Amino acid sequence: MSDPHDMTFKHPNDGDNQEPFDDHHAIIKGLLDTSASIAPKYFYDPLGCRLFEVITRLPAYYPTRIESDIFLRSAPTIGKEIGEGAILIDLGAGNCEKAAGLFDVLKPQRYIAVDIASDFLDGVLKGLQERYPNLAIEGHAYDFSGGLTLPPDLPKSHRVMFYPGSSIGNFTPDDAMKFLREIRKELHLGGHLLIGVDLVKEDQILDLAYNDPLGITAAFNRNILNHINRLIGSDFDIADFNHVAFYHREEKRIEMHLEAQRDLWIQWPGGERHFRKNERIQTEYSYKYRPETFESMLKAAGFPRVKTYLDEAGWFSLFHAEAGPGFVNE
Ligand SMILES: C[S@@+](CC[C@H](N)C(=O)[O-])C[C@H]1O[C@@H](n2cnc3c(N)ncnc32)[C@H](O)[C@@H]1O
C-alpha cells in the first residue's frame, strides 16, 4: 500500500500514456473533417476546469445539484453495501469534491483521482491531502478515452469506480458500452461502480441547462478554441464563433457546437481550413438515457446486480452496480 503521506502524481507522458504528438494529429483530423469537430476532453485547460466548476453552481444546470441530493439520500445505504476500506478510483475527478463527499461514508484506504487536466488536478490534490492527511491520495493524469490504465501495484479486491456527473454521456452509446465493459474488467468480481447518468426529459429543461442566461456555458464552449490554439498553434479568434447548444430529441443527446460568424480561414503550422459563415464545429454530445436503458447496459457490461436511485422528478439517476462473474481472468 502507498504511504498515506506520500502523494504521488503521474503525468501523461511519464510512461505508457499517449504522446502529445498523437493529440496534435487527432485535433487536426477533427478540424479537417467535412463536419468539423473538437473532442470535449479539450474543454479542460485550467480555465475550462474553473468554468466547469462555475457551471455546476448555476441554477439552470440541475445535474450537479440533483446528483448531490441523490448521494446525500443514498450514501448511508451504499456505504453499508460497499463497506469500509475500499480503493476509490475517481474517473474524471475534476475538483474531487464529489468523491470527497463519500470519504466519511466509505472510509477508503486509498483514493486514486484520474483526470486529463494534469495541472488542475495537481493543485486540487495538494489541497485535498491537507484536508485528509491520513488518506493515501494519488493523481493519475492521462486520457482514459484511450484505455483505462491503473497502477500496477493496485490490489484486485475491493475496488470502487466512481464516475459521476453523467460524463458517460459524452461517449456515443456504443462507446459507452465499451467503456462500461472496460470498467467492469478493471473492477474484478465483486467490485463496485457508482455512476451518475442524466436522463431524458423535456427539451426546454435540457436546452436551458446548456444555455444559461449568464453565458458561462457559452464561455466554456468557446474557451476550447483558446486551448486548441495553444495545442496546435492555430489562430482561432473566439470572437468569430458563437455558442450553439440544443437537445436533439431523436438522438436523445445535447449537441454543443461553435458557429462561425463570418467566412474565415483558420491556419496552423502546416495546414488551414476554411469555414463558411454559419458553419459549425461540433464540440460535445451529451447523451441522455432512460433509467431502464442504462440499467440494461450495465447488466450487459457484466454488472448483474444494479440498484437505481432517482430524484423525485426523475431528472437524474445514480446507479450502484456490482461486478458479477463472466470474465475468464477472475
Ligand atoms: C464534466 S467534468 C466532471 C468533474 C467531476 N467528476 C464532477 O462530476 O463534477 C469532466 C472531468 O473529466 C475530465 N476528463 C474529460 N475527458 C477525459 C478523458 N478523456 N480522460 C481523462 N479525464 C477526462 C475533465 O478534465 C473533467 O475534470
Side-chain angles (χ1 to χ4, degrees), residues 41 44 52 91-94 98 115-117 142-145 164-165 167:
K41 61 188 177 189
Y44 299 98
F52 181 74
L91 301 175
K98 286 184 186 170
D115 205 292
I116 196 169
Y142 69 93
D143 173 5
F144 54 58
S145 61
S167 292

Side-chain angles (χ1 to χ4, degrees), residues 43-44 47-66 95 98 165 206 208-223 243 245 256 284:
F43 283 131
Y44 299 98
L47 180 58
C49 290
R50 289 283 173 218
L51 286 168
F52 181 74
E53 285 190 296
V54 180
I55 288 173
T56 63
R57 288 170 204 174
L58 295 170
Y61 193 76
Y62 62 84
T64 311
R65 193 175 60 249
I66 296 187
N95 65 11
K98 286 184 186 170
L206 286 161
L208 183 65
Y210 292 81
N211 288 284
D212 65 275
L214 279 174
I216 309 293
T217 311
F220 174 73
N221 193 12
R222 294 163 87 206
N223 178 60
H243 166 72
M256 292 220 301
E284 181 176 285

Side-chain angles (χ1 to χ4, degrees), residues 46 56 72 99 134 190 210 226 230 277 319 327:
T56 63
L72 270 183
N134 295 318
Y210 292 81
N226 286 337
R230 288 197 305 278
K277 186 175 178 193
F319 296 89
F327 281 84

Side-chain angles (χ1 to χ4, degrees), residues 292-330:
E292 56 280 12
T293 309
F294 201 80
E295 200 175 312
S296 306
M297 286 168 67
L298 284 166
K299 290 189 171 160
F303 296 94
R305 291 183 56 191
V306 179
K307 261 188 155 180
T308 307
Y309 297 89
L310 302 176
D311 60 304
E312 271 181 19
W315 282 13
F316 201 88
S317 54
L318 168 68
F319 296 89
H320 175 193
E322 201 178 321
F327 281 84
V328 281
N329 59 343
E330 290 168 344

Side-chain angles (χ1 to χ4, degrees), residues 131-305:
R131 275 164 63 199
Y132 298 91
N134 295 318
L135 177 62
I137 296 179
E138 290 163 43
H140 289 259
Y142 69 93
D143 173 5
F144 54 58
S145 61
L148 267 180
T149 315
L150 296 177
D153 72 320
L154 204 65
K156 286 186 176 172
S157 63
H158 218 172
R159 295 182 180 181
V160 176
M161 294 260 193
F162 184 52
Y163 197 27
S166 206
S167 292
I168 190 80
N170 292 154
F171 290 105
T172 63
D174 281 351
D175 287 343
M177 266 309 296
K178 280 187 209 146
F179 196 59
L180 290 175
R181 288 204 172 98
E182 207 170 328
I183 289 175
R184 162 65 192 84
K185 205 162 142 243
E186 291 301 335
L187 275 175
H188 302 283
L189 190 62
H192 297 259
L193 168 64
L194 297 173
I195 184 165
V197 181
D198 199 8
L199 299 177
V200 169
K201 60 183 70 62
E202 291 90 61
D203 302 16
Q204 307 90 286
I205 299 165
L206 286 161
D207 285 343
L208 183 65
Y210 292 81
N211 288 284
D212 65 275
L214 279 174
I216 309 293
T217 311
F220 174 73
N221 193 12
R222 294 163 87 206
N223 178 60
I224 204 170
L225 298 178
N226 286 337
H227 191 199
I228 292 300
N229 282 346
R230 288 197 305 278
L231 290 171
I232 67 163
S234 49
D235 60 356
F236 281 106
D237 181 343
I238 60 162
D240 287 328
F241 287 85
N242 272 3
H243 166 72
V244 175
F246 56 88
Y247 183 57
H248 191 309
R249 200 186 298 177
E250 287 71 41
E251 296 290 346
K252 299 190 186 66
R253 69 185 182 212
I254 282 283
E255 295 194 5
M256 292 220 301
H257 302 262
L258 289 163
E259 186 173 278
Q261 293 308 288
R262 60 181 180 88
D263 266 47
L264 49 87
W265 284 92
I266 298 299
Q267 292 177 318
W268 56 86
E272 60 184 2
R273 156 96 198 223
H274 180 256
F275 287 93
R276 292 184 313 279
K277 186 175 178 193
N278 298 333
E279 197 172 351
R280 290 174 178 175
I281 305 173
Q282 177 237 309
T283 51
E284 181 176 285
Y285 287 156
S286 177
Y287 284 85
K288 311 300 169 188
Y289 288 92
R290 297 190 191 286
E292 56 280 12
T293 309
F294 201 80
E295 200 175 312
S296 306
M297 286 168 67
L298 284 166
K299 290 189 171 160
F303 296 94
R305 291 183 56 191

